[in-house]
Amino acid sequence: MKKLFLYLGLLLVAIYIFLTFFFIFRDTFKEKSKDIVANTIEELSTEDTVDAIDYINNNEKNTLEDTDLKTNVNVIECYKVGIKNGFVIVYDGSSDSVYEYTGIDANIIKATDEDLYREIVNEIEFDTKEDMFDFLESIAS
């Protein structure tokens, strides 16, 4: 039993020493890190800072010019609505890859409106995403 109290006493003393050193040196490390940051900022000259700002501004202008050139190109974004495996599906018009699976059952459309079903089988093309989603909303309800 005496050994247990001895070990507990040593453990408490070790924890006390650890916490004391931790709180003493914590403030010291904070001050040192503040000094390092302050010295680094002082070492930077205003000329370097101005050069860095000019560099960033020039890169932003070049990026804007690149995007302006890209927007001048006529990119036609279109979507096709068709039927695959009994469900209405949306294709990316430029690559004919699947854009979105809708989960709308084509058999229900066939039973209610056969003309619309034939149009969807032949793929209906939409110029904008909004028009395509409006159409999907109308056939889903």
Side-chain angles (χ1 to χ4, degrees):
M1 190 64 126
K2 289 182 182 180
K3 285 185 180 182
L4 179 65
F5 287 124
L6 179 68
Y7 290 141
L8 285 176
L10 288 175
L11 180 65
L12 290 175
V13 170
I15 291 172
Y16 175 76
I17 292 171
F18 171 77
L19 290 175
T20 304
F21 280 109
F22 173 77
F23 287 115
I24 291 172
F25 288 113
R26 181 183 62 163
D27 294 334
T28 306
F29 287 126
K30 280 184 184 178
E31 293 300 320
K32 285 184 181 179
S33 63
K34 287 179 185 176
D35 290 341
I36 291 172
V37 171
N39 291 338
T40 306
I41 291 173
E42 288 175 5
E43 289 174 5
L44 291 175
S45 69
T46 55
E47 186 175 310
D48 293 337
T49 307
V50 170
D51 289 342
I53 292 171
D54 288 341
Y55 176 76
I56 291 169
N57 287 336
N58 287 336
N59 278 347
E60 286 177 0
K61 286 179 187 175
N62 291 340
T63 305
L64 289 175
E65 289 172 3
D66 290 344
T67 56
D68 288 343
L69 291 175
K70 290 177 186 175
T71 55
N72 289 336
V73 176
N74 290 332
V75 177
I76 299 173
E77 189 177 281
C78 63
Y79 302 92
K80 295 178 185 174
V81 175
I83 295 176
K84 182 178 182 180
N85 297 332
F87 289 97
V88 176
I89 195 166
V90 179
Y91 297 98
D92 182 5
S94 59
S95 66
D96 288 332
S97 61
V98 175
Y99 177 75
E100 185 173 340
Y101 296 96
T102 64
I104 300 171
D105 191 358
N107 293 325
I108 295 174
I109 296 172
K110 186 176 183 180
T112 56
D113 190 353
E114 241 182 82
D115 292 333
L116 178 62
Y117 177 79
R118 277 190 232 113
E119 285 181 38
I120 296 173
V121 167
N122 294 329
E123 295 183 350
I124 303 172
E125 192 169 308
F126 296 94
D127 293 332
T128 65
K129 198 181 286 189
E130 289 80 20
D131 291 341
M132 182 259 305
F133 281 123
D134 288 341
F135 174 74
L136 291 175
E137 276 184 39
S138 69
I139 65 171
S141 57

